[in-house]
Amino acid sequence: MSKIIIAVDGYSSTGKSTIAKALAKELGYIYVDTGAMYRAVALHALKKGYIGVEGLQKEALIDSLSAVELRFEKQETTGAVEMHLNQENVEQEIRGLQVSNYVSEVAAIPEVRRFLVEQQQQMGSAKGIVMDGRDIGTVVFPEAELKLFVTASPEVRAKRRFQEMKAKGQEVTYDQVLQNILKRDHLDTTRTVSPLKKAVDAIEIDNSKMSEQEQFDKILKLVQDCLKAEKEDPR
Ligand code: DC
């Protein structure tokens, strides 16, 4: 059976990675979380001291990119794929608040994007991949056979994220979470380089009123239709 590339783009906290992971598992495809790559570069900048009181030292970060080695490694026990930065498992660290606060700025640097996009394209060269991010259908794989653009209202996303954070014992209010989501939407959609936008040929999935199962079934049907079309008329 021929393999395809599935690009999953969309706003933050829409559950993109849950969808992408479940799809990859179902299809036996590779899953790549490109946000983790931007987060790892932001962590590298923090570790090297390129982020301080005077802000982000962009030139120093750009010059140091050749010393950044990123690798996704599958954990034998859980089966989860975790990010390694220069041979160190940084999966927990890249999800922390410090990295979250700086990652948008790091992701807006064109040299950083070029550095990561090249690696992402390499990962998809044999197809059979589900990649999630912001620019996968527009920049990384404009030729992807299936492009999904996941959305949900800011209030629904904030509510889900707030419940998740509270369950983890984090001290936040719903309003803080909503403000953070609105700020990230603004940064993601208005940056000059590769802003988040729906590719013209992407299929929009608004999951505000959908259960995870309904969403999965709908997307799996899209994948099956796409695989069938590929078989009948390969690109
Ligand atoms: O999906 P996430 O929240 O882990 O992404 C972290 C940051 O990286 C977020 O600010 C958007 C940015 N990002 C990006 O610019 N391009 C991608 N392909 C993936 C993430």
Side-chain angles (χ1 to χ4, degrees):
M1 175 91 108
S2 67
K3 292 190 167 186
I4 59 169
I5 293 178
I6 304 176
V8 184
D9 290 303
Y11 292 93
S12 66
S13 305
T14 44
K16 289 191 305 293
S17 61
T18 311
I19 302 166
K21 258 184 234 166
L23 265 187
K25 192 168 173 211
E26 176 76 22
L27 301 166
Y29 279 17
I30 295 167
Y31 162 66
V32 177
D33 168 7
T34 60
M37 300 172 78
Y38 287 94
R39 286 174 179 272
V41 173
L43 179 63
H44 160 80
L46 280 162
K47 281 183 187 277
K48 288 285 179 192
Y50 301 147
I51 299 174
V53 276
E54 67 291 348
L56 170 64
Q57 296 171 39
K58 288 188 190 166
E59 289 308 320
L61 172 57
I62 294 165
D63 288 345
S64 73
L65 285 176
S66 58
V68 174
E69 193 237 334
L70 303 178
R71 205 151 34 86
F72 286 104
E73 254 182 44
K74 193 168 181 171
Q75 298 308 109
E76 285 312 323
T77 42
T78 59
V81 176
E82 300 190 339
M83 172 52 79
H84 286 63
L85 166 64
N86 296 335
Q87 269 101 53
E88 187 193 345
N89 186 330
V90 292
E91 185 60 34
Q92 293 301 318
E93 248 179 306
I94 58 168
R95 310 288 166 194
L97 202 61
Q98 225 192 354
V99 168
S100 298
N101 282 338
Y102 290 104
V103 64
S104 295
E105 211 180 325
V106 168
I109 303 173
E111 288 83 353
V112 169
R113 301 203 71 85
R114 242 190 326 264
F115 175 70
L116 295 181
V117 166
E118 212 170 275
Q119 297 182 33
Q120 291 154 8
Q121 289 172 334
Q122 196 70 39
M123 292 172 186
S125 58
K127 301 205 175 187
I129 195 164
V130 186
M131 190 171 277
D132 90 53
R134 306 291 191 286
D135 59 342
I136 313 305
T138 51
V139 175
V140 183
F141 294 120
E143 304 296 328
E145 287 82 358
L146 181 64
K147 299 180 186 179
L148 304 172
F149 190 82
V150 190
T151 65
S153 73
E155 291 74 18
V156 166
R157 288 185 279 142
K159 198 170 143 205
R160 289 179 189 154
R161 184 98 185 92
F162 172 61
Q163 278 161 356
E164 244 173 56
M165 291 172 94
K166 257 186 66 173
K168 284 189 194 158
Q170 298 180 13
E171 287 279 324
V172 280
T173 64
Y174 166 80
D175 213 50
Q176 282 170 329
V177 178
L178 178 62
Q179 291 315 316
N180 179 270
I181 282 183
L182 292 172
K183 185 177 153 207
R184 288 218 276 163
D185 284 0
H186 180 72
L187 287 172
D188 281 351
T189 50
T190 57
R191 69 167 175 238
T192 359
V193 206
S194 310
L196 168 67
K197 71 169 193 277
K198 181 176 168 288
V200 280
D201 51 350
I203 299 167
E204 184 164 334
I205 309 279
D206 182 340
N207 65 24
S208 302
K209 291 183 182 139
M210 262 187 227
S211 71
E212 263 182 41
Q213 190 62 48
E214 277 169 346
Q215 175 172 235
F216 183 73
D217 293 345
K218 182 181 167 111
I219 294 175
L220 196 57
K221 172 86 175 48
L222 292 172
V223 173
Q224 283 158 350
D225 290 349
C226 181
L227 283 168
K228 201 166 148 232
E230 279 301 306
K231 202 171 157 194
E232 284 162 8
D233 184 15
R235 287 192 191 183

